[in-house]
Amino acid sequence: MRTFRECLGNQVLFFDGGTGSVLQAQGLLPGELPENWNVEQPEKIVQLGYGYYLAGSNIINTNTFGAFVTKFTGQDGKYSVRQVIDAAFKNAEKARSMIIQKEKEDGTESVPRFIAFDIGSCGKLLKPLGDLEFEDCVTLFKQTFEAGIKNNPDLILIETMNDLYEAKAAVIAAKEAMEAAGKDIPIVASMVYDEGQKTLTGSSPEICAAVLESLGVSALGLNCSLGPEQMKPIVARLLESTTLPVLVKPNAGLPKSENGHTVYDVGAEEFSDIVSEFCRQGAMIAGGCCGTNPTFIKQLVQKVGALDSFNKPNAPKKSVITSGTRLVEFGGKNPPVLIGERINPTGKKKLKQALTDNDMAYILNEGLTQEEKGAQVLDVNVGLPEIDECKMMQAVIKELQAVTDLPLQIDTSDPVTMEKALRIYNGKPLINSVNGKQEVMKQVFPLVKKYGGMVVALALDENGIPETAEGRIQIVERLYSEAAKYGISKEDIIIDPLAMTVSADDQAGVATLATVKYVHEKKNGLTSLGISNVSFGLPLREHITSIFFTMAMQNGLSAAIMNPNATEMMKAWTCFKTLSGLDAQCLGYIDFAGKYESTVAVNASASASGGQNKNAASKTDDSLHPLTKAIVKGLKENAKTETLSLLTGGDGSEPMSAMDVINTKIIPALDIIGKDFENKKAYLPQLLMAADAAKEAFAVIKAELEKKGVAGEKKGPIVIATVKGDIHDIGKNIVKVLLENYSFRVIDLGKDVPPETILDAVIKEHAPLAGLSALMTTTVGAMEETIKLIHKDAPWCKVFVGGAVLNQEYADKIHADAYTKDAMESVKYAQSICG
């Protein structure tokens, strides 16, 4: 029998369908953990797996979707994680034995039968958006994977992931658990997208594909939340974005309630029509999620088998890096990528001092200023002898990724620092750097392979930097060859031919440009340069630097590490784009020209007045007070400082009252980011970081009021909870943060909360509003029961509901007073009820 890896990509493979929704129909109670049935009702789990095999599934999942130590402790008569996982594998193996025996008895042709160790989201949001540390998340998943891997699954399925950062933690945990056990098991990773074609935390299909493929999974895709019709555009985008096999597991449409039961609006006929078309288009793994059953899978298998043509997936490998929410592509028809160089202490006294003083506000402002000036990637180098580089690098990456969505270039020569940074980075980073020294390649290439990313490769080796292009080209060829041994493709390598100063060698520029041209034309490869090095030691450096930049771009340069504040450099880049046909309708040039003219006018005014024009401000700053801008950008330290300055008159102006600060500076900032979130101009990370900055501002106000003996007024209270049986509190926590920052008093009861507990809190607080969250289909019944109790015994209280499995129709069916699709909708509803 062929292995899963041998079958993958060579034929369409079929997963099973829903588990929780099927078990509910067989008597699983609202809030009851499906994994318990592995021990308590194993015969039903065996029959479920056997039924899917009989329908044509090649792969069945173990009933372990929520098998985490947060739920299964082995205490108080409950089962441990290992008990439920071992029982789940025993049931799956029995189902497989039954189908193999039946095929032997019937004399029918045997098809590949695999068992996937299935695990879903841990239910918590990672920092900085939530309270779970990345390493704690890795540990949580690793405990589960260690228990499952010893049962020798054919593959690992990491599914229903709302957050790409959590998916990364899960993949790393699986790889490390396998490494410890001496095993190599294929990993399939599947994300959840909303109808806006983004994950909960704002990652696009292209970003998820880039990160997961870079991490080394064997296949990737999407499941849950949406029906097959809603998945069509997302499937198309995934097929164009990855070289890996694509998995598609839709729900049976969207959920609704009938007679107290959850049902879905798409039948097996329509489901199989659409999903079989996905397979014809190139999806290589198909199955079902919530609401589907063996009938759905049987019809799907039959219709795929009847197809007379398939599109072989052939998406080209793309050279991309990402943050969690932004993707940058190198090469092709893309203009050279601008990498901001200002977070690098070399030659920068103020940055050196900021690093020494741990002045994170200064560092973050350097990053945001570069973003505003046009940088597409931020170089991060914090290497100073007097500080702990490894600790500082991690801190700067975390803080920068909290306030900007630009991808980062991790710039260090220390392999320990490099690994720590790659591990906690959210996205697919650019790594600076490796070189032709054998020792360095042995240190860096394994890290690139394990954690993913693109890597800058310098044209130097043990003998230093060759003076000629020919010498550098020899090193380039060796770098490509050595990287290939680690499975790192040319598309993930950016060659740095090294710009040397022409004041020391008048042929240095010639050698560098010749190497750029060779890599571009002969190798179809990518290049990057630290542009400003070329003019070191010369007067009027910007003239030499900008012309050299233009010449390098003409020879095929893919990226430049440069100062985006340098007008001459930005002028060269903008004009090159326009003259190369990379600036549609010259819009980029027109925008630059307007800013350039404004800058010239400001400088002329400052010169005429004998100094800087203090009244001049950039367009970005004109309409926003520094406090408002700090909150919109998520700058917590700035928000604290500006709030205190306004309250105390620290800037020399008249002190403002607390309510004026709130109403004229803080609330407008939250409204700006809230509207951007609703209009898809900002995503969850930006929304939550703005909320955190506002929280810091409110804390300053509270402290000042307490000094004066004045208590801050709060609206509400609002009781919120994740309902009984559900440990996923991501959505609830997001709603809590925003409500609190709009001055509501929130009583958070946590997760897995019984209906009676929620009712008691509502009555005790006489709360006018309660919010309920559920992620899993199996727990919506507990939500309905809670609503009934509140309406009966606390009729003054309105109930709003939210979660991935809900929609307006379903909320109406379970008699919720409101359905809020996201956190901002929850705030709006709370304002309508509580003022």
Side-chain angles (χ1 to χ4, degrees):
M1 185 70 71
R2 290 187 298 166
T3 66
F4 174 76
R5 190 172 268 123
E6 290 169 337
C7 293
L8 185 61
N10 295 311
Q11 66 182 83
V12 176
L13 294 171
F14 298 98
F15 259 99
D16 55 14
T19 296
S21 52
V22 174
L23 296 183
Q24 276 186 318
Q26 296 180 5
L28 183 74
L29 298 175
E32 187 178 3
L33 298 176
E35 295 83 3
N36 284 345
W37 278 27
N38 291 323
V39 180
E40 296 170 355
Q41 302 204 47
E43 67 286 347
K44 290 186 177 179
I45 303 302
V46 171
Q47 283 300 318
L48 179 65
Y50 176 71
Y52 279 123
Y53 275 141
L54 200 60
S57 295
N58 302 106
I59 312 157
I60 63 168
N61 287 322
T62 54
N63 180 29
T64 52
F65 179 84
F68 292 98
V69 293
T70 48
K71 284 199 293 185
F72 298 95
T73 63
Q75 300 172 355
D76 302 324
K78 300 292 184 181
Y79 310 114
S80 68
V81 166
R82 188 170 295 277
Q83 281 178 297
V84 296
I85 289 175
D86 287 348
F89 272 96
K90 182 178 179 181
N91 296 333
E93 290 287 2
K94 186 172 182 180
R96 179 159 62 180
S97 297
M98 289 169 60
I99 194 66
I100 291 173
Q101 181 62 34
K102 176 175 173 53
E103 288 170 343
K104 286 181 179 179
E105 292 174 355
D106 295 346
T108 54
E109 181 180 358
S110 180
V111 299
R113 306 290 188 186
F114 304 116
I115 294 172
F117 178 38
D118 181 44
I119 194 67
S121 167
C122 70
K124 285 185 170 291
L125 202 59
L126 277 70
K127 288 184 176 180
L129 308 181
D131 57 4
L132 183 64
E133 291 283 359
F134 182 83
E135 286 301 334
D136 291 339
C137 186
V138 172
T139 299
L140 183 58
F141 275 100
K142 198 180 294 185
Q143 290 170 320
T144 293
F145 286 128
E146 286 169 348
I149 285 169
K150 76 178 189 65
N151 287 281
N152 297 313
D154 298 294
L155 65 145
I156 292 170
L157 176 63
I158 298 169
E159 65 168 334
T160 322
M161 288 286 158
N162 290 281
D163 180 6
L164 184 58
Y165 200 29
E166 182 188 8
K168 175 178 179 175
V171 172
I172 288 174
K175 291 169 74 172
E176 291 180 349
M178 285 189 279
E179 183 179 7
K183 300 187 185 231
D184 181 19
I185 301 168
I187 300 172
V188 178
S190 181
M191 305 298 298
V192 174
Y193 300 92
D194 59 25
E195 291 191 75
Q197 302 176 37
K198 296 283 177 70
T199 66
L200 175 68
T201 50
S203 301
S204 68
E206 292 80 7
I207 289 172
C208 292
V211 173
L212 293 171
E213 183 168 345
S214 188
L215 284 168
V217 302
S218 297
L220 56 88
L222 72 165
N223 75 290
C224 204
S225 186
L226 301 175
E229 182 67 32
Q230 293 79 22
M231 282 189 176
K232 284 181 177 179
I234 305 172
V235 173
R237 290 173 68 176
L238 283 175
L239 289 171
E240 293 176 357
S241 303
T242 181
T243 64
L244 297 179
V246 170
L247 160 72
V248 185
K249 288 182 60 182
N251 285 348
L254 300 176
K256 56 185 179 180
S257 179
E258 286 185 3
N259 301 320
H261 297 285
T262 302
V263 297
Y264 290 80
D265 62 1
V266 172
E269 187 72 25
E270 181 184 353
F271 177 92
S272 55
D273 281 343
I274 299 174
V275 180
S276 62
E277 178 62 18
F278 291 154
C279 296
R280 190 194 66 76
Q281 294 168 357
M284 298 302 293
I285 318 174
C289 205
C290 300
T292 63
N293 56 45
T295 301
F296 284 71
I297 303 304
K298 183 175 183 179
Q299 291 199 30
L300 173 60
V301 173
Q302 291 172 345
K303 288 181 180 177
V304 172
L307 291 174
D308 57 5
S309 65
F310 292 86
N311 289 338
K312 183 72 174 176
N314 58 356
K317 172 78 173 176
K318 296 183 179 180
S319 299
V320 300
I321 60 171
T322 81
S323 63
T325 55
R326 188 183 293 196
L327 178 146
V328 172
E329 183 173 358
F330 296 81
K333 295 182 179 180
N334 300 288
V337 172
L338 302 184
I339 304 170
E341 68 178 8
R342 300 300 299 168
I343 306 178
N344 184 323
T346 304
K348 303 180 186 70
K349 291 183 180 179
K350 289 184 178 179
L351 181 61
K352 285 182 180 179
Q353 193 62 48
L355 290 169
T356 303
D357 297 342
N358 196 28
D359 183 358
M360 197 63 69
Y362 179 88
I363 298 168
L364 298 184
N365 277 313
E366 280 292 291
L368 290 173
T369 299
Q370 291 182 93
E371 179 179 10
E372 290 172 1
K373 294 293 185 180
Q376 298 157 288
V377 180
L378 298 179
D379 181 72
V380 181
N381 184 317
V382 297
L384 283 179
E386 59 266 35
I387 68 171
D388 184 336
E389 182 189 5
C390 187
K391 183 179 179 181
M392 178 60 75
M393 177 66 85
Q394 293 177 79
V396 170
I397 287 174
K398 289 178 181 178
E399 292 288 340
L400 271 175
Q401 290 208 293
V403 300
T404 176
D405 66 349
L406 292 187
L408 305 182
Q409 174 171 270
I410 297 168
D411 188 353
T412 178
S413 58
D414 176 41
V416 174
T417 298
M418 185 178 290
E419 177 163 19
K420 291 289 187 181
L422 291 175
R423 191 173 178 90
I424 56 98
Y425 181 82
N426 185 5
K428 179 183 178 182
L430 184 56
I431 304 160
N432 191 13
S433 58
V434 69
N435 59 52
K437 295 178 181 179
Q438 199 64 38
E439 179 185 2
V440 175
M441 289 190 287
K442 285 183 178 180
Q443 290 175 332
V444 175
F445 283 144
L447 298 180
V448 178
K449 180 62 177 176
K450 178 176 180 178
Y451 296 107
M454 292 186 69
V455 61
V456 176
L458 310 181
L460 66 87
D461 61 12
E462 288 83 357
N463 298 315
I465 303 171
E467 293 183 358
T468 65
E470 291 75 18
R472 298 182 199 186
I473 288 169
Q474 289 178 8
I475 298 174
V476 169
E477 295 288 1
R478 190 159 67 249
L479 283 161
Y480 279 140
S481 176
E482 194 68 20
K485 296 177 183 178
Y486 292 87
I488 301 168
S489 70
K490 183 179 65 178
E491 290 80 8
D492 279 329
I493 299 172
I494 302 180
I495 299 296
D496 186 343
L498 297 169
M500 308 302 292
T501 177
V502 293
S503 63
D505 177 5
D506 58 13
Q507 296 301 303
V510 176
T512 299
L513 294 175
T515 310
V516 170
K517 186 173 183 179
Y518 174 85
V519 173
H520 174 64
E521 294 185 354
K522 302 299 183 182
K523 304 300 293 185
N524 194 27
L526 304 169
T527 52
S528 175
L529 287 172
I531 297 294
S532 62
N533 295 340
V534 75
S535 61
F536 185 77
L538 293 175
L540 297 175
R541 291 183 62 187
E542 64 272 17
H543 297 321
I544 287 287
T545 305
S546 62
I547 297 300
F548 178 69
F549 185 25
T550 302
M551 294 173 72
M553 290 189 285
Q554 189 64 37
N555 280 282
L557 186 70
S558 312
I561 303 176
M562 46 82 76
N563 180 5
N565 298 316
T567 302
E568 290 299 315
M569 292 291 288
M570 295 305 294
K571 184 193 298 182
W573 181 71
T574 304
C575 293
F576 176 83
K577 285 197 305 174
T578 302
L579 295 171
S580 301
L582 302 175
D583 182 12
Q585 299 176 307
C586 301
L587 295 178
Y589 178 78
I590 293 169
D591 180 62
F592 173 80
K595 293 177 181 176
Y596 180 76
E597 289 173 351
S598 298
T599 302
V600 171
V602 168
N603 290 340
S605 175
S607 178
S609 62
Q612 184 180 7
N613 183 350
K614 295 183 179 179
N615 293 322
S618 71
K619 291 182 179 180
T620 305
D621 296 338
D622 275 344
S623 60
L624 297 182
H625 184 275
L627 173 56
T628 305
K629 183 180 178 183
I631 293 171
V632 170
K633 292 291 186 180
L635 298 171
K636 293 180 283 189
E637 290 301 318
N638 294 46
K640 288 164 62 177
T641 303
E642 293 294 339
T643 302
L644 187 60
S645 178
L646 289 173
L647 292 173
T648 61
D651 59 356
S653 60
E654 285 293 320
M656 290 180 67
S657 71
M659 285 311 299
D660 281 346
V661 173
I662 292 171
N663 291 329
T664 66
K665 304 295 185 290
I666 299 177
I667 296 300
L670 290 171
D671 288 342
I672 289 169
I673 193 68
K675 288 176 182 176
D676 282 350
F677 177 75
E678 291 173 347
N679 295 327
K680 304 297 183 184
K681 294 179 181 178
Y683 297 97
L684 185 61
Q686 294 99 314
L687 183 68
L688 290 185
M689 294 316 300
D692 280 346
K695 185 183 292 184
E696 295 292 343
F698 277 121
V700 172
I701 290 172
K702 181 181 178 183
E704 289 299 308
L705 290 176
E706 287 175 348
K707 287 180 185 178
K708 300 174 182 178
V710 180
E713 184 181 349
K714 288 282 187 179
K715 295 172 286 188
I718 301 174
V719 174
I720 63 171
T722 300
V723 297
K724 177 67 177 174
D726 203 322
I727 65 162
H728 300 85
D729 57 1
I730 293 175
K732 171 186 66 66
N733 291 343
I734 294 167
V735 170
K736 175 185 177 183
V737 168
L738 285 195
L739 286 173
E740 287 179 337
N741 280 285
Y742 275 85
S743 299
F744 289 98
R745 183 165 72 91
V746 179
I747 293 95
D748 181 4
L749 301 180
K751 59 194 177 185
D752 192 20
V753 185
E756 296 79 12
T757 302
I758 299 172
L759 175 64
D760 289 345
V762 168
I763 293 174
K764 178 182 177 182
E765 299 287 343
H766 200 77
L769 190 59
L772 307 178
S773 174
L775 178 71
M776 300 187 297
T777 306
T778 53
T779 60
V780 177
M783 180 178 280
E784 183 174 15
E785 183 182 348
T786 304
I787 293 170
K788 286 180 179 177
L789 275 180
I790 292 175
H791 283 172
K792 176 176 177 290
D793 295 336
W796 64 84
C797 181
K798 300 289 186 182
V799 183
F800 67 100
V801 298
V805 296
L806 295 170
N807 56 27
Q808 185 64 59
E809 181 184 5
Y810 202 106
D812 292 340
K813 291 283 187 180
I814 61 177
H815 305 293
D817 295 292
Y819 162 68
T820 55
K821 64 180 181 180
D822 56 43
M824 282 307 302
E825 287 290 326
S826 300
V827 169
K828 286 183 178 180
Y829 184 68
Q831 289 175 323
S832 72
I833 299 300
C834 305

